Amino acid sequence: MSIKVRKFKTKGEEMNNRKRQIIRAARTLFIEKGFMDTSIVDIIDAANISKGTFYNHFNSKSECLIAILEETREETMNRRYEIGLNEDLSNVEILIEQICVIIHVNRKTNLLRIFESLSGVPDLGIKEVLNQHLLKETMWLARRLTDVFGNEIEPYSYECATLVLGMMYQTMRTI
């Protein structure tokens, strides 16, 4: 019997080199200077591109940030999927490894620094994307907790997921 491996395509695999160049430069600047203190001109200069090239790929700095967040979320989900592939999803060790992926990806991409620079940003589009990411993360973890601990915890799975994520994010901020 042949098992098909399903791999989610990341935005990195789909986007062209210029767009990746812009995203890399923007990510670095958002980490170093913060989102609010980084201008589109800063991104253009750091990526060594023209203004037109930036606007061919993104309508705004916020849209560029959203692409960074989406890319990171997709990487996280792909790595989690790979960890669980052909494994017993009721195994708590697999769940722990999958939960740790977000810590590793955030550390690798320094995403926490970007999140910290977003406090007070009035952009509703960014807030909506952040809320959607948190909701998806909570739903994923609630589902996985039910996989591991059984249907009897399902009524409490969202509360448990919220507590785990809250503790994890607070720990990452403290560290």
Side-chain angles (χ1 to χ4, degrees):
M1 180 167 112
S2 171
I3 297 176
K4 276 192 158 181
V5 176
R6 181 177 175 217
K7 179 145 173 29
F8 296 98
K9 262 194 166 178
T10 65
K11 289 225 188 269
E13 292 170 339
E14 295 175 356
M15 69 179 79
N16 68 37
N17 289 337
R18 281 279 193 225
K19 191 170 185 178
R20 270 182 257 171
Q21 182 179 344
I22 296 166
I23 286 174
R24 274 194 311 270
R27 177 183 283 128
T28 300
L29 288 167
F30 293 158
I31 291 166
E32 290 174 1
K33 296 175 70 171
F35 177 77
M36 293 299 287
D37 292 333
T38 300
S39 69
I40 290 176
V41 172
D42 292 334
I43 296 168
I44 290 167
D45 290 344
N48 198 25
I49 58 166
S50 69
K51 197 174 202 177
T53 300
F54 179 88
Y55 285 107
N56 281 338
H57 296 285
F58 302 104
N59 292 323
S60 65
K61 179 174 74 167
S62 296
E63 195 175 286
C64 185
L65 173 66
I66 290 168
I68 292 168
L69 299 175
E70 292 293 332
E71 180 181 71
T72 305
R73 171 124 182 94
E74 288 177 18
E75 178 182 348
T76 301
M77 293 311 295
N78 282 336
R79 288 179 62 185
R80 283 181 175 161
Y81 179 78
E82 289 169 2
I83 290 167
L85 189 65
N86 298 324
E87 296 290 341
D88 177 9
L89 294 181
S90 66
N91 182 340
V92 72
E93 296 299 322
I94 297 299
L95 174 60
I96 291 168
E97 202 175 329
Q98 288 176 319
I99 290 172
C100 287
V101 165
I102 197 161
I103 295 168
H104 296 298
V105 170
N106 281 345
R107 184 178 289 159
K108 180 184 104 179
T109 60
N110 226 339
L111 204 57
L112 198 56
R113 292 281 309 255
I114 295 173
F115 285 140
E116 288 172 348
S117 79
L118 294 176
S119 64
V121 172
D123 189 304
L124 294 177
I126 292 173
K127 287 181 182 181
E128 178 62 26
V129 167
L130 291 174
N131 287 337
Q132 286 300 314
H133 280 242
L134 183 57
L135 179 61
K136 288 176 185 175
E137 190 68 15
T138 305
M139 290 170 59
W140 173 84
L141 184 53
R143 193 170 50 253
R144 289 294 291 120
L145 288 169
T146 302
D147 290 342
V148 172
F149 297 106
N151 288 334
E152 57 272 5
I153 79 143
E154 190 170 17
Y156 315 104
S157 62
Y158 283 91
E159 288 88 348
C160 292
T162 301
L163 288 170
V164 168
L165 291 172
M167 289 185 290
M168 188 175 70
Y169 292 135
Q170 187 60 37
T171 301
M172 287 188 316
R173 289 186 72 206
T174 302
I175 292 172

